[in-house]
Amino acid sequence: MKFKKWVRILATTVAFSLLFSVPVFGAETAEDELTMMSSEQVSEDVILAGTGAHASIYPDPTMYDAIYSNNTKINLVFNVRTFGNEMERYEIRIFKGNTENSTSLVARKNADFETTKGTSNVTYTWDTTDYNKFTPGTYTISCTSFYNSTNGDAVNNKELFNVTLEDYKLILDRQFVQRLYDKVFQRSGDTAGLNNWANKLYNGTTTGATTAWNFFFSPEFLNKNTSDEQYVDILYQALFDRDADEGGKANWVNILKDGMSRAYVLKGFTDSVEFNRLCGVYGIQQGTIILSENRDRNPKVTAFVNRLYSIAMNRSADVNGLNDWTGKLLDKKQTPKQVASGFVFSQEMTNRNLSNQQFVTMLYQTMMDREPDEAGLNDWLTRLKTGTSRQTVFNGFADSTEFDNIVKAYGLK
């Protein structure tokens, strides 16, 4: 009913109650009208505050169908409207399931109302840290206000609503995945992807390491074309939860420059103690990454082959070539001398049409790791001019102590 009309009825009711000594709010209709008042009506005037009207309690609207984590302490907020001081108490009860059932009662709170007139909030802290008791699922929350009547407590208002408790482990899994979205993709996770990876972690069908691999080697990240430096920075932030230290970053960048794959570097991070600690924070399995490329089997062997590309061929290594040559060395199918010969006498090298001086200089740089001395250079050039083959000159370099030292430095002999 409209407010002015209601006030006229209320005034009439008060007059008759005084005349016949009947309690003003004994009638059920008057009680129902009060509990249905809007907040605008509550603040309308002092008239209502002085009538001895009963108080009420309602849940904060944001709690309807809310999702919370179990194994935590949840602050439930309720709005209390106190119009007089005849209210006795309110009660908050929580039931497992989607209905109010006394056999499924899991938590409750009884409290007296404050007698101060007005509107305020009360907070009930729902302790769900008993993980075995507060299992994931739907819970029904009931909030009820009671007033004192001649027949004892009577209900003034009652409100039921449902909330959901999620397993805190699943929530932690989702937070880990969101971390990867934030740090690797620099965006919020889409619902489908977020839930997909979180559920896999929760069910144990994937690990932290494998999930990280799928992010770093996804088309979305690969299309970012990050530099080696940027890649390492992101690894530190996503998997170590910190910025890169100068020395550590330089080491990983150098490993990449020596020809190791980004998967190898990622594995270095996911196999670390720091990543293990991060996985512990989120309650997930650390796991590991399985590498399949020959170049990732031995960093020194890969660096040796990469050096031949860089110095002899004067270019960056291609992945297929690195895997082919490192495989031959690691599987003992070719010696370091034979691999070096494969570069020096390759079709690519032949196509460069090096002069004798350029050829000998390249051998000094490749096989002895230095520039030619004048006497040595002239000696080799004289031999070539008088008929010595380039293969013979190569053998002279390949069988030298200097090349042998290079081979040993890379763990190949």
Side-chain angles (χ1 to χ4, degrees), residues 77 101 121 134 172 197 290:
V77 179
N101 187 322
N121 287 333
F134 296 101
L172 287 173
W197 286 111
I290 304 301

Side-chain angles (χ1 to χ4, degrees), residues 241-276:
D241 194 28
R242 65 178 175 89
D243 290 335
D245 58 282
E246 187 176 348
K249 178 179 178 179
N251 177 63
W252 288 117
V253 170
N254 286 334
I255 286 174
L256 288 169
K257 292 188 184 304
D258 281 341
M260 304 303 288
S261 74
R262 288 192 171 188
Y264 176 88
V265 174
L266 175 61
K267 180 178 172 64
F269 277 78
T270 57
D271 284 353
S272 69
V273 173
E274 280 193 79
F275 184 65
N276 178 266

Side-chain angles (χ1 to χ4, degrees), residues 8 34 44 47 69 123 131 135 148 165 193 215-216 227 229 262 268 287 327 338 348 407:
R8 288 198 298 273
L34 269 178
E44 187 75 25
I47 297 175
S69 168
T123 299
Y131 181 72
T135 55
N148 191 16
L165 279 190
F215 271 78
F216 279 102
S227 66
E229 289 79 5
R262 288 192 171 188
Q338 289 172 320
E348 182 178 343
V407 169

Side-chain angles (χ1 to χ4, degrees), residues 5 9 31 39 58 70 98 117 123 125 158 242 269 284 287 292 349 366 373 379 382 390 396:
K5 183 179 179 182
I9 293 174
E31 176 188 320
S39 59
Y58 291 97
N70 66 0
N98 56 11
K117 303 175 182 66
T123 299
T125 300
K158 184 175 185 177
R242 65 178 175 89
F269 277 78
I284 62 176
S292 59
M349 185 69 78
T366 303
D373 58 281
D379 179 56
T382 299
R390 288 192 172 187

Side-chain angles (χ1 to χ4, degrees), residues 83-138:
F83 308 117
N85 54 16
E86 293 186 2
M87 282 303 302
E88 290 296 316
R89 65 184 180 88
Y90 63 87
E91 183 177 46
I92 298 167
R93 295 187 296 169
I94 301 176
F95 305 87
K96 179 66 187 294
N98 56 11
T99 58
E100 184 181 24
N101 187 322
S102 59
T103 60
S104 60
L105 181 66
V106 292
R108 71 188 301 171
K109 176 184 180 180
N110 285 290
D112 292 336
F113 279 100
E114 297 290 338
T115 58
T116 305
K117 303 175 182 66
T119 300
S120 61
N121 287 333
V122 296
T123 299
Y124 169 46
T125 300
W126 179 18
D127 188 346
T128 68
T129 52
D130 186 340
Y131 181 72
N132 294 318
K133 179 179 180 180
F134 296 101
T135 55
T138 301

Side-chain angles (χ1 to χ4, degrees), residues 176 180 184-185 197 206-219 221-222 231 235 239 261-267 270 275 286 288-293 296:
F176 174 80
L180 294 178
V184 182
F185 290 169
W197 286 111
T206 191
T207 64
T210 303
T211 305
W213 188 93
N214 278 277
F215 271 78
F216 279 102
F217 288 92
S218 66
F221 183 73
L222 294 177
Y231 177 71
L235 286 173
L239 306 181
S261 74
R262 288 192 171 188
Y264 176 88
V265 174
L266 175 61
K267 180 178 172 64
T270 57
F275 184 65
Q286 179 178 8
T288 191
I289 293 170
I290 304 301
L291 302 174
S292 59
E293 293 186 78
D296 290 331

Side-chain angles (χ1 to χ4, degrees), residues 223-347:
N223 288 338
K224 290 180 179 293
N225 295 315
T226 56
S227 66
D228 288 344
E229 289 79 5
Q230 290 171 326
Y231 177 71
V232 172
D233 277 333
I234 295 171
L235 286 173
Y236 270 97
Q237 292 165 2
L239 306 181
F240 284 2
D241 194 28
R242 65 178 175 89
D243 290 335
D245 58 282
E246 187 176 348
K249 178 179 178 179
N251 177 63
W252 288 117
V253 170
N254 286 334
I255 286 174
L256 288 169
K257 292 188 184 304
D258 281 341
M260 304 303 288
S261 74
R262 288 192 171 188
Y264 176 88
V265 174
L266 175 61
K267 180 178 172 64
F269 277 78
T270 57
D271 284 353
S272 69
V273 173
E274 280 193 79
F275 184 65
N276 178 266
R277 284 198 293 264
L278 186 73
C279 290
V281 169
Y282 292 99
I284 62 176
Q285 298 179 49
Q286 179 178 8
T288 191
I289 293 170
I290 304 301
L291 302 174
S292 59
E293 293 186 78
N294 284 329
R295 62 173 171 155
D296 290 331
R297 290 166 60 185
N298 188 308
K300 286 190 173 182
V301 172
T302 300
F304 174 81
V305 175
N306 190 67
R307 180 180 179 278
L308 292 174
Y309 274 101
S310 177
I311 300 176
M313 309 302 287
N314 196 30
R315 69 172 175 87
S316 298
D318 58 278
V319 173
N320 290 336
L322 266 179
N323 284 322
D324 181 45
W325 289 113
T326 53
K328 288 175 180 177
L329 283 168
L330 291 165
D331 297 334
K332 307 297 183 183
K333 293 179 179 179
Q334 289 193 8
T335 66
K337 177 181 177 178
Q338 289 172 320
V339 171
S341 178
F343 277 81
V344 171
F345 295 103
S346 65
Q347 186 61 53

